[in-house]
């Protein structure tokens, strides 16, 4: 492709970006695929508004992986935050100084519903009511119990902020521009808050209904699809993908075409998705096809998938590693069902000595959280509630019921001095650890017995709990520039990430997709996984997993023209290339 052709593409892309940045519309909607330059648009719009008003905008997203980079790119132009972190800051602004933010509070409230003999609800039911703003009685009881603990978590905080602004509309913050990114991941609760926040500000909503993975929290691509029909919104497109090679772009178009022919993706917003030669021509020539890999076996004592991936990562050109470091991105990203990632992590750790493992949250009530609260406030209701949850004493339920109904501290009703003293002593040791003080042998033993962790492990856990920037973006930043940054994660966990090499594992029937025919969400997962790729992508299946014979996924049949000739990884291959 000559210089004139390249110039055409640059000018054509500029036409789309200028249409957005020059539009006077108060409500803008961008429907665009991955890697199409949304950050550039954010920076241009916010810079223009900052120059005119002297004020910073607000950008909210659900994808924690995006926040760190956006904070750097938009420094001085906008406050960048996850949706929940924003709500946390607002709730803190109108609550008292001892108010606590505890993500897993709904799990405690679930149990309290039973103790108080309130309408039976488990954690999922309570959260479902919050997600849809349904069942006023359930929401009212949930918030009342949260008030007793002087604490809130994720979904109930959003609900609290909505109610706060409904009661005090004059306190709704005004920004020159509010950007809601990844709108396809919003549920009704979050959309309700977005509507409240946007009453007094210019609005930009951005999303892609082909990347809707959060149905588990009642998010739906239908919400962004409805905005396409809303006459108040001026619609825009960003067609050119500057991240992916030609084969990835063509693969996505093929997936959408086949899916629609088979009756999937009904209501999908049609959008152009094009390869951008000025940025991706050279990479596309070097990596013209998706690498098709089939391993003979994968089991606990035989990790062919992991061995193959370790070999491939070790052969990544140094220039690619440097490029990933320069971009503050990953060198290699391994995506797939957890049962396939386990063996991969073992082999990567054996080969490189490290591997990052990103999981989708942790809803376990941890007794250490109780001690942390008691350290801050010796009579913390939340702290003692967590301790009683993790280490019940005699009459725990009666204590909790009486304390909540009488609105008194839980600690006042604990009659066992031995129980109270034990946990007070442990909290004192936790306090010493938090302050960096040395422990004597007795204290070390007490903390190891109580928590099953060494003091050093407690310190690491406390530091990790404070981590707000996604770990994937920080992993190994202190290592030399030549060492690849590697992450294993789920399909949902890969959102917002990009890597030089992407390995999609478990591409087998019964695993990815789990059921035949695949669901819309499974199709979205495939699109998201493929489009994390900057250079080379692999689709890896196996013949036998844990003793069960498997067939390759239907996805390999869909993309047969985009795949290389199959690389067959058997014992002979492993012995020759991977040891």
């Amino acid at each position: 492709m000559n210089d004139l052709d390249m110039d055409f593409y640059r000018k054509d892309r500029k036409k789309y970006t200028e249409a957005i940045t020059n539009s006077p519309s108060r409500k803008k909607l961008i429907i665009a695929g991955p890697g199409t330059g949304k950050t550039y648009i954010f920076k241009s719009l916010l810079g223009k508004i900052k120059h005119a008003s002297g004020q910073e905008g607000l950008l909210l997203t659900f994808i924690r992986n995006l926040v760190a980079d956006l904070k750097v790119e938009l420094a001085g132009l906008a406050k960048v935050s996850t949706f929940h972190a924003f709500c946390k800051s607002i709730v803190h602004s109108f609550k008292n100084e001892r108010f606590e933010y505890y993500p897993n509070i709904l799990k405690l409230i679930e149990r309290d519903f039973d103790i108080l003999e309130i309408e039976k609800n488990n954690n999922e039911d309570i959260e479902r009511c919050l997600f849809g703003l349904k069942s006023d009685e359930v929401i009212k009881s949930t918030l009342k119990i949260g008030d007793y603990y002087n604490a809130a978590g994720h979904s109930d905080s959003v609900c609290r902020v909505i109610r706060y602004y409904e009661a005090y509309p004059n306190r709704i913050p005004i920004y020159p521009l509010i950007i809601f990114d990844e709108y396809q991941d919003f549920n009704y609760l979050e959309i309700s808050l977005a509507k409240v926040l946007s009453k007094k500000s210019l609005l930009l909503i951005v999303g892609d209904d082909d990347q809707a993975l959060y149905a588990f929290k009642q998010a739906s691509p239908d919400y962004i699809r409805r905005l396409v029909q809303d006459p108040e919104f001026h619609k825009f497109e960003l067609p050119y993908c500057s991240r992916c090679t030609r084969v990835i772009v063509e693969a996505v178009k093929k997936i959408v075409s086949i899916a629609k022919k088979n009756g999937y993706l009904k209501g999908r917003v049609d959008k152009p998705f094009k390869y951008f030669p000025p940025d991706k021509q050279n990479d596309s020539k070097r990596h013209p096809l998706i690498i098709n890999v089939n391993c003979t076996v994968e089991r606990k004592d035989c990790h062919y998938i992991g061995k193959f991936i370790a070999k491939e990562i070790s052969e990544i050109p140094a220039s690619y590693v440097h490029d990933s470091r320069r971009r503050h991105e990953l060198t290699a990203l391994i995506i797939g069902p957890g049962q396939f990632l386990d063996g991969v992590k073992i082999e990567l750790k054996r080969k490189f000595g490290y591997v990052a493992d990103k999981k989708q949250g942790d809803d376990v009530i941890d007794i250490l959280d109780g001690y942390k609260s008691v350290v801050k406030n010796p009579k913390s209701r939340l702290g003692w509630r967590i301790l009683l949850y993790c280490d019940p004493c005699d009459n725990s339920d009666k204590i909790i019921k009486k304390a909540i109904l009488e609105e008194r501290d839980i600690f006042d009703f604990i009659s066992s001095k031995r129980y109270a003293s034990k946990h007070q002593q442990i909290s004192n040791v936790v306090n010493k650890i938090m302050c960096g003080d040395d422990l004597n042998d007795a204290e070390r033993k007490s903390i190891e017995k109580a928590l099953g962790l060494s003091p050093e492990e407690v310190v690491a856990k406390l530091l990790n709990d404070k981590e707000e920037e996604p770990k994937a973006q920080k992993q190994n930043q202190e290592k030399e520039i030549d060492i690849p940054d590697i992450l294993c994660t789920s399909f949902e966990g890969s959102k917002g990430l990009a890597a030089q090499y992407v390995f999609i594992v478990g591409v087998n029937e019964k695993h990815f997709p789990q059921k035949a025919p695949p669901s819309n969400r499974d199709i979205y997962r495939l699109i998201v996984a493929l489009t994390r790729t900057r250079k080379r992508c692999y689709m890896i299946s196996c013949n036998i997993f844990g003793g069960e014979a498997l067939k390759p996924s239907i996805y390999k049949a869909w993309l047969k023209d985009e795949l290389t000739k199959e690389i067959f990884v058997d014992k002979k291959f492993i012995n020759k290339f991977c040891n």
Side-chain angles (χ1 to χ4, degrees), residues 290-299 302-309 334-337 340 344 491 502-513 537-546 548-557 563-570 574:
I290 297 168
I291 311 301
N292 180 18
V293 182
N294 185 37
C295 299
T296 54
V297 66
E298 178 70 19
R299 58 175 186 261
C302 187
H303 305 304
Y304 282 6
I305 294 176
K307 288 179 183 293
F308 174 80
I309 291 175
I334 302 93
I335 308 169
F340 284 88
V344 175
F491 295 97
V502 169
F503 301 85
I504 307 172
V505 300
V507 189
N508 288 93
E509 285 186 6
K510 300 183 181 180
H511 293 277
F512 182 49
C537 184
Y538 298 72
M539 293 181 72
I540 305 176
S541 58
C542 67
N543 290 340
I544 299 174
F545 180 76
E548 181 184 8
L550 298 176
K551 294 180 181 179
S553 167
I554 190 175
Y555 295 146
K556 284 199 171 184
L563 296 176
T564 63
K565 183 179 179 181
E566 184 178 86
I567 297 174
F568 190 62
V569 179
D570 58 5
I574 294 294

Side-chain angles (χ1 to χ4, degrees), residues 364-489:
V364 175
I365 303 292
D366 190 338
I367 197 168
L368 179 58
D369 293 325
Y371 292 125
K372 284 161 57 180
S373 290
V374 172
V375 164
K376 296 175 187 175
N377 174 13
K379 284 197 171 185
S380 166
R381 293 175 178 179
L382 176 64
W384 284 100
R385 179 65 186 93
I386 294 171
L387 297 181
L388 285 171
Y389 183 96
C390 297
D391 181 26
C393 68
D394 293 338
N395 300 319
S396 289
D397 288 359
K398 289 182 179 179
I399 290 170
I400 293 162
K401 184 174 183 178
K402 192 171 181 63
I404 293 175
L405 292 177
E406 295 185 18
E407 295 189 4
R408 291 173 57 191
D409 294 334
I410 290 173
F411 181 79
D412 294 343
F413 291 96
I414 297 176
S415 57
S416 172
K417 292 183 179 180
R418 183 178 178 182
Y419 180 90
S421 178
K422 178 184 75 171
H423 288 296
Q424 285 172 323
Q425 288 174 15
I426 296 170
S427 69
N428 289 337
V429 179
V430 171
N431 186 34
K432 290 185 71 173
I433 293 173
M434 292 171 68
C435 293
D437 298 338
D438 293 331
L439 305 185
N440 60 40
D441 288 343
E443 289 170 334
R444 291 184 68 90
K445 288 178 181 178
S446 70
I447 209 70
E448 289 171 358
K449 182 179 179 182
L451 303 179
L453 300 170
S454 69
E456 293 74 22
E457 289 171 326
V458 173
V459 170
K461 189 169 176 54
L462 291 171
L463 289 173
N464 189 55
D465 289 343
K466 287 182 179 180
E467 185 67 79
E468 296 199 4
E469 186 178 326
K471 218 173 188 180
Q473 301 297 329
K474 285 190 164 186
Q475 184 73 17
N476 302 313
Q477 283 190 350
E478 301 303 318
K479 294 182 181 289
E480 302 108 44
I481 196 76
D482 293 327
I483 295 180
D485 228 344
I486 307 167
L487 176 69
C488 293
T489 191

Side-chain angles (χ1 to χ4, degrees), residues 139-191:
I139 294 174
K140 183 179 178 181
S141 297
T142 299
L143 298 183
K144 185 176 180 180
I145 296 173
D147 285 339
Y148 167 78
Y149 291 120
N150 197 27
H154 291 328
S155 300
D156 50 319
S157 283
V158 181
C159 188
R160 288 178 184 280
V161 172
I162 292 172
R163 294 192 171 193
Y164 176 71
Y165 285 143
E166 286 176 346
Y168 304 100
N170 60 312
R171 298 180 186 176
I172 297 173
I174 300 174
Y175 295 91
L177 175 66
I178 297 179
I179 300 172
F180 294 109
D181 194 18
E182 304 291 342
Y183 198 78
Q184 75 280 351
D185 294 323
F186 283 36
N187 57 34
Y188 183 76
L189 171 68
E190 294 142 1
I191 283 170

